[in-house]
Amino acid sequence: MARDKSEQKTVNTSLRLTAEQKTEFEKRAKAMGIKISSYIVNAAWNSNELDPKTKVKMQNILNFTENIVKEYAPEQLPELKSKRAELWSL
Amino acid sequence: MVIIKVKRDTYGGLRYLKNALNYLEDGEKSLFTGGFGVVTTPLEDTFAQMVAVRKYFGKLSGNPLMHFIISFDDKVVTLDHANILAEQLTLFFRNEYQVLWSVHFLQRGCSNFHVHIIINSVSYINGKMYHSSASEITRFKDYAACVLNSDVRWFFA
């Protein structure tokens, strides 16, 4: 399925970096399995947001917690669920 | 013999993702639902969390999901056993993708249980799309054969 036009990357620009910055960004991009350009764009575009990898980790912890709360303190579930919504808005 | 049916939508977009999640959580058919990187209920939250990952990486369009339906053979006769196997099968995807799975009961031939596994096709690690090539599906098939200790066949639905 073709990507929507609004998500197609059709413009480019160049960046000036220090050698150290380039080396570091390349290292981080490689660790994630993506190109340096994707790494920089993702980081800058989402600079005010928690990354999905962290949210997924925290959601899994919440899922585990929810099972315990369900069993031992079910009256607290609504509050736990509202905290969950907060996480995904970070 | 275990059968894996593989569904990949290329037309329905996020609406298809929502419909697929809906089907998994169907109260009449679903005996157990599990999730990794997402909540299992309510459905709106599961959907929102998958969309959030896609939005972060600028990939709201494109193939929204991969849907695997694994029909267990007659060695699997209890729900507990089906649940354990379902969870083990989803381990294959969890390092990179959000997963929702559901065990359904349906007596069909030699099979009593089958599991639906839906993965958000955008990786939460790096935003790359799941590559649904035959070789990639075969990797999962081989993994499933080890987990299930059974012959496994797969096909695109």
Side-chain angles (χ1 to χ4, degrees):
Chain A
M1 186 180 185
R3 194 157 307 291
D4 191 78
K5 274 196 178 148
S6 64
E7 293 183 343
Q8 290 174 8
K9 295 178 181 176
T10 54
V11 297
N12 57 31
T13 189
S14 62
L15 296 176
R16 295 186 71 83
L17 310 165
T18 66
E20 189 188 351
Q21 283 172 329
K22 185 164 181 278
T23 303
E24 180 60 28
F25 291 163
E26 280 173 340
K27 188 173 142 196
R28 292 182 196 175
K30 191 176 176 187
M32 288 176 70
I34 54 177
K35 293 180 184 169
I36 184 175
S37 56
S38 297
Y39 170 76
I40 292 170
V41 167
N42 285 338
W45 186 251
N46 298 296
S47 60
N48 294 328
E49 195 177 330
L50 204 57
D51 66 277
K53 184 180 169 185
T54 304
K55 286 185 182 179
V56 159
K57 260 191 192 161
M58 291 174 74
Q59 181 57 59
N60 290 332
I61 293 170
L62 275 178
N63 284 350
F64 178 75
T65 308
E66 206 169 293
N67 285 337
I68 296 171
V69 168
K70 221 182 271 185
E71 188 161 345
Y72 296 105
E75 70 283 359
Q76 301 291 339
L77 265 179
E79 177 147 5
L80 183 63
K81 286 181 178 179
S82 73
K83 299 294 178 201
R84 178 179 77 199
E86 279 181 45
L87 159 67
W88 284 87
S89 68
L90 290 173
Chain B
M1 170 73 64
V2 171
I3 307 291
I4 299 178
K5 199 192 296 187
V6 182
K7 289 175 140 192
R8 51 181 179 180
D9 176 78
T10 51
Y11 299 105
L14 293 180
R15 182 175 40 85
Y16 183 78
L17 173 61
K18 196 159 195 181
N19 289 343
L21 294 175
N22 222 3
Y23 180 78
L24 244 71
E25 293 192 350
D26 183 323
E28 285 185 20
K29 297 192 184 84
S30 175
L31 300 175
F32 177 83
T33 302
F36 178 85
V38 287
V39 293
T40 56
T41 57
L43 163 72
E44 289 74 22
D45 287 3
T46 314
F47 176 72
Q49 288 169 0
M50 287 190 171
V51 168
V53 170
R54 300 182 72 92
K55 191 177 175 193
Y56 182 94
F57 291 110
K59 292 186 179 175
L60 288 173
S61 61
N63 185 27
L65 60 88
M66 288 297 297
H67 183 175
F68 301 89
I69 305 151
I70 300 108
S71 297
F72 296 130
D73 58 23
D74 56 4
K75 285 190 276 195
V76 182
V77 294
T78 66
L79 177 57
D80 279 349
H81 192 191
N83 280 339
I84 289 168
L85 292 175
E87 181 139 8
Q88 286 177 339
L89 288 169
T90 64
L91 286 174
F92 184 83
F93 301 107
R94 293 196 206 174
N95 281 344
E96 290 188 77
Y97 304 98
Q98 294 166 300
V99 186
L100 187 77
W101 70 92
S102 184
V103 177
H104 289 189
F105 177 81
L106 179 64
Q107 229 163 3
R108 184 180 279 158
C110 297
S111 176
N112 291 312
F113 298 98
H114 59 277
V115 58
H116 290 261
I117 298 174
I118 284 180
I119 67 166
N120 183 358
S121 56
V122 174
S123 164
Y124 64 81
I125 297 290
N126 56 21
K128 282 186 172 179
M129 299 286 282
Y130 178 83
H131 195 246
S132 56
S133 61
S135 60
E136 195 57 36
I137 306 290
T138 301
R139 273 187 62 229
F140 175 57
K141 186 269 290 181
D142 290 342
Y143 171 80
C146 283
V147 166
L148 302 170
N149 195 27
S150 188
D151 287 331
V152 179
R153 294 265 169 92
W154 72 269
F155 62 94
F156 282 118

